[in-house]
Amino acid sequence: MTLTKLRNIGIAAHIDAGKTTVTERILFYTGTNRKMGEVHDGQATMDFMKQEQERGITIASAAITCNWKGSQINIIDTPGHVDFTVEVERSLRVIDGMVALFCAVGGVEPQSETVWNQADRYRVPRIAFVNKMDRTGADFFQVVSQMNKYLDANAVPFQIPMGAEDDFKGLIDVIEEKAFIFDDFERVEVEIPDGYKQKAIEARAVLIEKLADYNEEILELFLEDKEIPAALLKQAAREATLKLLITPVYTGAAYKNKGVQLLLDAVIDYLPSPIDVGAIVGIDIDDDEKSHTRNPSPKEPFSALAFKLIHDPYVGQQTFIRIFSGSLKSGMQIRNSTKGKNERIGRIFKIHAKDREEVSEAGPGDIVALVGMKYTKTGDTLCDKEHPLYLESIHIPPTVIELKIIPAKRKDQGKMGEALHKLSNEDPSFNIRYDDETEETVISGMGELHLEIIVDRLKHEFGVEVEVGEPSVAYRETITTEVVSNYKHSKQTGGKGQFAHTVMRIEPNNDGDYEFVDNIKGGVIPSEFITSVNKGIKKTLERGVLAGFPIVGVKVVLTDGSHHAVDSSDMAFQTCASICFKNGFLKAGPILLEPVMKIEVNTPDEYIGNVVGDLNKRRGKIESMRRYRKGSQKLNGFVPLMEMFGYATTLRNVSSGRANYSMEFYKYLPVNKATQEEILKNLAKKREEGRG
């Protein structure tokens, strides 16, 4: 199959917009599945994890291959719940085009905005599908106007619905000027009914006017009032979509099998092939000012990005990769440039959700799973050993919530550690650390649901029952002023002693990351010990100084020091740097940072006072309120995560169960002085109890 016939697409949207149902219909119509799976009865092909079937939501993005009209489509189904946003992030990094799904009733919801912004970051061309036109309250044109207002999508209807809610009969193709109705699984072409002819003419005029902005041939025909052929409109629409100038909008009701075949046609017509996307740019391994390009051709040197790891009980760990250039064959040796290690390719699989097909070779544009990779993790670059490069990795947001866990049976400690290690390999937004002081294992993630599912997987997949503590907020520590710290570490304990001396300037770093600068002159600290200094500081950053939380936003400049020809060692300089940094940190106005969440609440008008009052009590800041639908409002703001535990129950109570909300991480911000004192006091008390 030629590369022009390949489409790598993602399906992304807000939770409950019907992504998995749409995918199930696509698999049915493309002949990949013989029968339809349904989310509500736990039979969806793409949701094959037990936790997905129980909750009726998609957690892990599954990759699947199908064929339509001579083209191959690789689909990545992604979760809509904000706790699994890293799944969307890594899928967007490797797809070429996206179908953005919207519910005809809910319209543009909070997570739709998050996904849209993520797609903007990776410049992914997209088409939109307004689903659930058969539901009460469905309003196609309202959703299109919200897309333009809130997403700046330049959304253009390429179809318009005939009717809505129970009267949703079918669709009109605006370019081809044809109408379709749906009889069970068949689409039937019919004459455009008289009642919709004027609407179809108006919609086509809007589409032509939009495309005339980007195509001179259409503009000339438009100005001369001549007929514009459908083929020319399609060609211009494809070009405009690929350049992210417009978003074609389609519609239907996937659950009722309406509109899915036409959506598949649109994927082929308007979303890019690897050839359209063109060359990928990588960074030179030795010089990050230099770059290398790789064209999507089997003749180019091999390059690929690992974007997902899954632990499979039958074949072990599967590493999903997207190949950008060159060919991959079983038995080949390749380079993991991120880790600086070689990997040997074992078995290569193409994935059909639960099923897998072994292949001996894969090429540009392919998304395959590799079995037997030793070092490769999410975000790593794989490349030709003779032509190494780095590809842009995957943005992983910081964790915001922590949970202490212990195995229910003491003998399961090792088994639990192994299972957690496998889970953190799979999911880079899930972290584990061991608290030496309290001798507890602490897991952290993106939200309460995220950790709840991890605990569930420990039990069902790995057979480890665990006891769980109360969730707590993952704070960070930082400084507010600049200080110079000077420390000499000297120990004589018979035989070889320990000696190290460092002088460092510690200052706030507004970028939020840790930065180390070596300003040593004249070799007063030998270069091999400078890496020891950096290592010693890094270990301290992980453990924190003020209250044991990771340290962020500091820059350390090593300015002076001294060493001893015999007594200086790697360990001595690590210890010295750690103590020197701690001393300085405590004098540099240390503060705690807390995760602040972006919140959106949809509430009927009569409860707005209750909702706002409750958020104010939680130290929330309301940023905006807007009319959402008739009789209800959308409220946006920011609230510290520590105030949000149990919010779902409170919101239900203050709104008689009629309001709903969604929340996502915004950023880490300083805690006010009174709150900080209270947090530190509570932590000290908990530690005392832990020791007791």
Side-chain angles (χ1 to χ4, degrees), residues 542-581:
E542 285 166 22
R543 288 195 292 264
V545 175
L546 197 60
F549 296 109
I551 292 169
V552 295
V554 290
K555 178 177 176 180
V556 176
V557 184
L558 185 61
T559 55
D560 202 359
S562 59
H563 74 290
H564 186 279
V566 178
D567 291 349
S568 286
S569 65
D570 168 54
M571 211 55 237
F573 267 99
Q574 279 198 51
T575 308
C576 175
S578 174
I579 296 168
C580 187
F581 177 79

Side-chain angles (χ1 to χ4, degrees), residues 164-219:
E165 303 180 349
D166 290 342
D167 296 331
F168 177 53
K169 296 181 193 67
L171 310 159
I172 295 167
D173 181 320
V174 172
I175 289 185
E176 300 279 3
E177 298 177 284
K178 291 174 180 173
F180 296 94
I181 57 169
F182 298 87
D183 180 14
D184 275 344
F185 301 125
E186 296 302 314
R187 59 175 165 172
V188 182
E189 190 181 322
V190 294
E191 274 290 306
I192 297 177
D194 289 342
Y196 288 98
K197 278 183 177 160
Q198 191 52 38
K199 275 186 179 171
I201 290 165
E202 285 165 13
R204 200 167 196 267
V206 168
L207 189 143
I208 288 169
E209 213 168 301
K210 274 273 195 265
L211 292 176
D213 288 345
Y214 311 115
N215 184 292
E216 288 195 3
E217 206 179 328
I218 291 176
L219 181 62

Side-chain angles (χ1 to χ4, degrees), residues 221-401:
L221 292 169
F222 175 66
L223 293 174
E224 290 166 14
D225 209 12
K226 287 184 178 167
E227 184 54 39
I228 299 166
L232 176 61
L233 287 174
K234 278 188 163 180
Q235 181 201 325
R238 178 175 176 79
E239 286 166 11
T241 306
L242 297 187
K243 289 177 182 158
L244 274 70
L245 299 168
I246 63 165
T247 305
V249 186
Y250 288 77
T251 187
Y255 182 54
K256 299 278 174 70
N257 312 309
K258 294 179 178 177
V260 177
Q261 302 105 313
L262 297 165
L263 175 66
L264 277 165
D265 290 347
V267 165
I268 306 298
D269 289 342
Y270 301 116
L271 289 181
S273 72
I275 297 288
D276 296 314
V277 175
I280 190 162
V281 178
I283 296 161
D284 189 273
I285 283 202
D286 302 315
D287 179 359
D288 52 16
E289 296 293 308
K290 272 166 76 177
S291 62
H292 301 283
T293 53
R294 294 280 184 271
N295 290 299
S297 155
K299 296 189 174 82
E300 293 257 323
F302 174 73
S303 68
L305 189 79
F307 69 96
K308 186 174 178 65
L309 269 66
I310 289 183
H311 176 73
D312 185 295
Y314 303 107
V315 296
Q317 186 175 283
Q318 294 184 92
T319 307
F320 282 78
I321 67 164
R322 157 75 198 257
I323 301 173
F324 291 102
S325 64
S327 302
L328 187 68
K329 295 185 174 84
S330 297
M332 212 168 128
Q333 281 259 349
I334 55 166
R335 183 82 173 155
N336 178 328
S337 56
T338 312
K339 296 283 190 299
K341 293 189 184 290
N342 290 341
E343 290 266 28
R344 187 179 172 282
I345 298 302
R347 301 164 78 193
I348 305 171
F349 290 104
K350 285 206 169 161
I351 303 293
H352 304 279
K354 265 184 286 196
D355 306 315
R356 53 182 95 75
E357 168 203 350
E358 188 161 354
V359 293
S360 57
E361 191 175 345
D366 281 339
I367 289 176
V368 292
L370 306 178
V371 174
M373 303 297 273
K374 282 185 180 164
Y375 311 107
T376 303
K377 301 272 184 294
T378 295
D380 286 2
T381 298
L382 299 173
C383 56
D384 185 294
K385 289 195 296 187
E386 306 304 314
H387 303 87
L389 79 171
Y390 291 126
L391 298 175
E392 182 194 344
S393 191
I394 290 163
H395 168 75
I396 310 292
T399 57
V400 293
I401 186 167

Side-chain angles (χ1 to χ4, degrees), residues 1-7 30 65-74 264-265 267-269 271 273:
M1 179 179 294
T2 61
L3 276 177
T4 53
K5 297 278 191 188
L6 178 62
R7 299 286 181 275
T30 56
T65 300
C66 55
N67 294 292
W68 182 253
K69 294 189 173 175
S71 290
Q72 181 184 315
I73 304 173
N74 293 330
L264 277 165
D265 290 347
V267 165
I268 306 298
D269 289 342
L271 289 181
S273 72

